[in-house]
Amino acid sequence: MKYFFIPGRNYDLSKAELISVVSSNIPSVHNFEFKPDYIVLDSKETPDAIARLFNRLGGFISCGVRYDDIDLILDEVGDRTKITFGLSIYTDKASKYSKSNIKDVLEQVKDLLKSRGVSSRYVIPNGLLLDSAQVIHNKILEKGFEIVIFDYEGKQFYGKTLAVQDINRFATVEYDKPYTNKEMGVLPAKLATIMVNLLGLKIGETIWDPFCGSGTIPLVALMNGYNVIGSDIDPEAVAGTKKNIEWLAADNKLNSVGVNIFQFDVLNPDSRTVRDLRRTTIKGVVCEPFMGPPQFKPLSQAKANKLLVGVEEMYKKLFETLEHIKLTDFKAVIVIPSYKTHNGWLTLSLNSIVSKKWRVDSNLVERDLHWKRSNSIIKRNIFVLSKKI
Ligand SMILES: C[S@@+](CC[C@H](N)C(=O)[O-])C[C@H]1O[C@@H](n2cnc3c(N)ncnc32)[C@H](O)[C@@H]1O
């Protein structure tokens, strides 16, 4: 069966995330087709299994089943007599689809349904696409279906949406948790999810975030069924992360219960904690270090360099500790910042942080991965590193 996936704004990150999650969760043979606006996955897995896999992702807007003919989608209405449906159009010729054209297509589908004895109402997209909020709010997937038209290079095929991104899930982690510390910088929950997924671990394996802050990485990792070790130099962050995990657990949103959060200074690793870490079964590190307070205008070169020296020092020490823990079969997904200065962007070289024992995971990454919000002063560069055995 062919499935389509619609990536979010950072295509290369989303692509790497999907490759990672599919290869660690789908044992059977599968193939990808990568297009600029969508990705097709050819897999023997059932639509339910693909929807479950989709719900683990942070970098995708929707996914669905691909069809060659729109009638095949209508055949699946079965014996329902009343439905709600919607339409989204992905195309390289947007001018072909005016508002009235879109309404005509919706009316045609409504007529086809009527001829099959099904009464229906439709939701008109904003522009060419229904957004996740429209799909969720109108219960389109529960009460009917969303048809997706793919129209590229003069050829059309169709899709039926299986799942859309649960925006509330990310908003809850970002805005509703009891403890937050904006001065320290908080990782977006979608990016934290993508980073956890880039490790490509099996459910139940253990992840360590050594700069846990308010606990975004531990929270999303626990929600996806991983066990978590979290640490921070700041006792307030340690207590806050614990509080946030308890809050999420009380809401029954956690799929895992293996949690250990404690105080640890990466720059001065105490031998007792390092010994304890050696006894754990950590399979990967996911983290973002302190990158300075939020910035609203370009920095001076001196200030950016000072912040970068801090990040460099922190990572050098962290990777020394990781080597000391003697982990094998191990991965790290880390953020290295770039700062916008009056003289252009400044960043660090990976070689200044990690020894030759580490390599960038080339199975996942063809190009450098970035997460940048428009007009932001700090750009996050994401690196997926494996330890050579
Ligand atoms: C950018 S914040 C992490 C934010 C976190 N990912 C979140 O979303 O809330 C960086 C964290 O690194 C911690 N930190 C700074 N220096 C440290 C050190 N030497 N060892 C361990 N943690 C440190 C800070 O206390 C801060 O909580």
Side-chain angles (χ1 to χ4, degrees):
M1 213 164 201
K2 287 193 172 172
Y3 298 96
F4 67 86
F5 287 77
I6 307 293
R9 270 177 302 148
N10 296 280
Y11 182 91
D12 290 331
L13 258 183
S14 303
K15 174 180 167 182
E17 181 192 31
L18 187 64
I19 296 172
S20 174
V21 171
V22 167
S23 42
S24 49
N25 285 277
I26 297 186
S28 54
V29 180
H30 53 265
N31 283 303
F32 288 108
E33 202 185 324
F34 298 105
K35 300 286 184 185
D37 293 345
Y38 62 90
I39 296 171
V40 175
L41 167 70
D42 195 346
S43 158
K44 291 193 183 72
E45 297 296 313
T46 63
D48 279 353
I50 295 296
R52 275 199 302 280
L53 182 135
F54 173 84
N55 288 330
R56 305 178 61 73
L57 302 173
F60 285 84
I61 292 165
S62 65
C63 80
V65 182
R66 190 196 142 139
Y67 292 86
D68 289 328
D69 193 329
I70 226 164
D71 277 338
L72 296 172
I73 300 178
L74 303 188
D75 287 348
E76 290 186 0
V77 170
D79 52 9
R80 279 189 286 181
T81 54
K82 213 171 166 197
I83 65 159
T84 302
F85 69 95
L87 173 71
S88 284
I89 301 163
Y90 291 91
T91 180
D92 53 6
K93 253 202 164 345
S95 57
K96 211 170 122 183
Y97 294 94
S98 67
K99 209 166 181 176
S100 66
N101 288 146
I102 293 172
K103 221 163 163 216
D104 286 349
V105 176
L106 287 162
E107 282 294 336
Q108 279 169 24
V109 174
K110 192 175 167 80
D111 288 345
L112 282 169
L113 286 165
K114 200 169 171 192
S115 70
R116 293 165 179 240
V118 182
S119 81
S120 62
R121 71 173 267 268
Y122 55 74
V123 181
I124 302 173
N126 291 324
L128 296 184
L129 305 173
L130 280 178
D131 58 47
S132 303
Q134 283 178 298
V135 175
I136 294 168
H137 178 75
N138 290 288
K139 295 196 165 60
I140 289 178
L141 304 186
E142 294 87 339
K143 291 186 179 173
F145 53 80
E146 181 194 28
I147 294 176
V148 186
I149 298 177
F150 294 87
D151 185 348
Y152 287 90
E153 293 166 355
K155 286 190 202 130
Q156 283 194 350
F157 68 89
Y158 305 93
K160 187 174 113 175
T161 304
L162 277 175
V164 294
Q165 189 167 60
D166 180 359
I167 32 193
N168 293 334
R169 177 176 159 201
F170 299 108
T172 301
V173 171
E174 270 176 40
Y175 306 114
D176 300 346
K177 58 184 183 295
Y179 171 78
T180 189
N181 184 347
K182 294 215 168 67
E183 278 306 296
M184 279 295 174
V186 176
L187 197 62
K190 282 185 197 172
L191 175 58
T193 305
I194 294 173
M195 288 174 67
V196 165
N197 283 332
L198 286 172
L199 283 178
L201 299 187
K202 297 198 176 62
I203 291 171
E205 290 187 319
T206 304
I207 294 169
W208 176 29
D209 176 1
F211 309 109
C212 66
S214 60
T216 311
I217 291 167
L219 292 173
V220 301
L222 287 162
M223 285 164 90
N224 267 359
Y226 297 109
N227 295 326
V228 168
I229 294 176
S231 57
D232 200 290
I233 191 173
D234 179 2
E236 193 187 303
V238 172
T241 294
K242 284 183 182 166
K243 195 168 176 183
N244 286 344
I245 291 172
E246 279 162 22
W247 161 79
L248 210 62
D251 211 14
N252 278 330
K253 286 213 172 70
L254 296 191
N255 291 321
S256 184
V257 285
V259 190
N260 188 5
I261 311 293
F262 52 86
Q263 199 178 353
F264 181 66
D265 177 359
V266 165
L267 292 177
N268 298 294
D270 65 281
S271 47
R272 201 170 142 194
T273 309
V274 174
R275 194 193 61 211
D276 288 348
L277 285 167
R278 250 178 135 144
R279 293 188 182 136
T280 62
T281 51
I282 306 169
K283 284 280 179 185
V285 157
V286 181
C287 64
E288 167 169 282
F290 180 60
M291 308 195 300
Q295 306 290 341
F296 304 101
K297 50 184 199 314
L299 282 68
S300 69
Q301 221 164 327
K303 192 166 177 197
N305 273 325
K306 195 171 167 208
L307 290 169
L308 287 169
V309 166
V311 171
E312 183 177 351
E313 223 184 313
M314 205 82 80
Y315 274 136
K316 269 186 171 165
K317 271 288 188 188
L318 173 66
F319 279 91
E320 268 174 43
T321 301
L322 290 178
E323 279 169 28
H324 201 68
I325 299 175
K326 291 201 171 59
L327 301 156
T328 49
D329 185 18
F330 189 79
K331 275 192 180 177
V333 179
I334 63 169
V335 175
I336 296 181
S338 293
Y339 298 100
K340 191 175 190 173
T341 72
H342 303 299
N343 306 68
W345 290 89
L346 274 188
T347 190
L348 284 176
S349 145
L350 192 62
N351 295 335
S352 70
I353 293 173
V354 294
S355 73
K356 292 202 169 70
K357 289 183 186 150
W358 297 84
R359 61 177 160 77
V360 173
D361 196 331
S362 55
N363 290 338
L364 290 182
V365 184
E366 288 160 12
R367 275 179 295 208
D368 291 351
L369 301 176
H370 310 288
W371 174 277
K372 182 176 177 290
R373 287 191 166 149
S374 54
N375 300 326
S376 59
I377 305 298
I378 305 179
K379 185 166 71 178
R380 292 170 160 107
N381 308 294
I382 317 298
F383 291 91
V384 186
L385 303 167
S386 305
K387 194 167 166 223
K388 286 185 201 166
I389 299 170

